[in-house]
Amino acid sequence: ASSHDSLLDINTLSEIGSRNGFDKVFGQENLERIQSWVPFPVSIEDVNDFVHNLILHPTSIATTPNGSILENSVHREILNHAITSVGRKFNKQFGEISPGYLPLFDLMIMSGSPLSELKSLSTSLLTILDAVQPTGFQQIILDKNNLMSLLGSAMHINPDMVAQMILDPNAFSNLGFVVSPVSNSRIGTEVLRVRIAYETGHENTIVFKKGNIYKIPLPSRQKAKILLEPLNRADLGRGPGVILPSKMVVGGPFGIVVDARGRPITLPKRDVERYATLLGWNNNLS
């Protein structure tokens, strides 16, 4: 569901969910992508067996750490499939950095048990970033209690209450503000300069390089003003190298996240390098 100037646009993919419909959309290419998100050796045959076990037993629950990681990789592919499928149906008035990328949303609210029931908020956020691959600058909120469908029903009765609930940290988790520059530069090139002015009066400037994901700490509910300057023709939605107007942000569990991995995200071809890269990204958000 997306909204632009109070115009609501809803797209439904009835053929696939987190526990059913795999057989209708999953082929060899999907299995290979699932395999690529797993940070340990696993064969295509094992991935195929795992997916078909989910098809046969949709209520089953992973009982091992490796099983949970593999299941999370399946959910990444499902979410990416959903976003890709409805991407061309989004309202054309949404801004976008380039055709094929996710539109420049101001706010993203993510819901569903495959995200809310993960072992940690860092895993939830990384799953969202890996699968959705947002661009530009946006706030990401997690429906940690799976309340969205209930609030949708209550919207017609008490819209003010619904608006207040979405901003309630006990009901929803503000995962943070994510900055995702799009750049054609090589890995290791400086792509973003962030200037931060904290409420305490302290100021800081940090430069980020393409190829990694970073976390700028900002304590919960503390406010700060940030200025985002793309470097080397990186784009945050206003054009290559164009600085965004300063923005006020509020702290959360991850503060400000800079996802400088590029769009689309690409993984190393060699297994050992890919495992190290995936574990590194996970550690950077933990």
Side-chain angles (χ1 to χ4, degrees):
S2 58
S3 177
H4 184 275
D5 288 341
S6 300
L7 297 176
L8 179 63
D9 183 26
I10 297 178
N11 292 282
T12 302
L13 295 176
S14 59
E15 78 276 10
I16 186 170
S18 64
R19 289 286 180 160
N20 55 66
F22 298 134
D23 52 332
K24 298 180 182 178
V25 298
F26 273 25
Q28 183 70 16
E29 184 179 348
N30 304 95
L31 295 175
E32 290 173 355
R33 284 199 292 264
I34 293 171
Q35 181 192 40
S36 71
W37 289 111
V38 179
F40 53 79
V42 60
S43 67
I44 284 292
E45 290 75 20
D46 287 341
V47 174
N48 185 59
D49 290 345
F50 186 87
V51 170
H52 279 85
N53 187 62
L54 289 179
I55 294 172
L56 293 172
H57 307 284
T59 60
S60 63
I61 299 174
T63 57
T64 65
N66 284 358
S68 297
I69 292 172
L70 191 51
E71 185 175 40
N72 180 243
S73 299
V74 174
H75 291 153
R76 275 177 167 86
E77 180 63 12
I78 293 171
L79 184 53
N80 182 261
H81 170 81
I83 289 294
T84 301
S85 298
V86 303
R88 52 185 170 272
K89 301 178 183 179
F90 282 126
N91 191 315
K92 299 303 180 183
Q93 297 183 62
F94 283 122
E96 60 181 11
I97 291 179
S98 181
Y101 292 120
L102 196 71
L104 298 165
F105 297 116
D106 291 326
L107 172 68
M108 295 173 57
I109 301 178
M110 307 299 297
S111 186
S113 57
L115 295 174
S116 63
E117 294 178 0
L118 290 172
K119 64 177 182 178
S120 66
L121 287 179
S122 62
T123 304
S124 297
L125 178 57
L126 191 57
T127 300
I128 293 168
L129 296 181
D130 290 344
V132 179
Q133 300 192 30
T135 59
F137 172 87
Q138 59 279 123
Q139 182 181 9
I140 297 181
I141 291 177
L142 177 65
D143 177 14
K144 63 181 181 180
N145 296 306
N146 296 318
L147 296 173
M148 288 300 292
S149 59
L150 297 176
L151 294 183
S153 300
M155 185 70 188
H156 303 287
I157 302 173
N158 192 337
D160 290 338
M161 180 272 291
V162 172
Q164 292 173 4
M165 285 289 290
I166 291 177
L167 298 176
D168 186 344
N170 295 315
F172 292 82
S173 291
N174 169 28
L175 295 184
F177 292 81
V178 178
V179 186
S180 307
V182 173
S183 169
N184 293 322
S185 300
R186 294 181 178 180
I187 299 296
T189 302
E190 294 180 348
V191 291
L192 181 70
R193 179 181 291 114
V194 180
R195 295 185 175 93
I196 313 171
Y198 297 93
E199 280 185 315
T200 59
H202 176 67
E203 295 186 5
N204 195 14
T205 298
I206 312 172
V207 175
F208 298 96
K209 296 180 179 180
K210 183 177 178 179
N212 214 332
I213 188 167
Y214 308 88
K215 181 171 61 176
I216 306 174
L218 183 62
S220 181
R221 302 190 183 184
Q222 181 176 319
K223 295 181 180 180
K225 183 175 289 187
I226 63 172
L227 184 68
L228 305 173
E229 179 184 355
L231 304 175
N232 292 305
R233 296 189 58 78
D235 194 343
L236 287 173
R238 293 294 185 95
V242 179
I243 299 175
L244 266 60
S246 60
K247 299 177 178 293
M248 184 66 71
V249 296
V250 181
F254 305 101
I256 304 163
V257 175
V258 175
D259 187 351
R261 296 177 294 174
R263 298 290 184 263
I265 295 173
T266 57
L267 292 167
K269 298 294 184 182
R270 295 181 57 195
D271 289 344
V272 174
E273 293 178 5
R274 188 173 72 254
Y275 302 154
T277 296
L278 291 170
L279 291 173
W281 290 346
N282 182 72
N283 291 336
N284 284 358
L285 282 186
S286 298

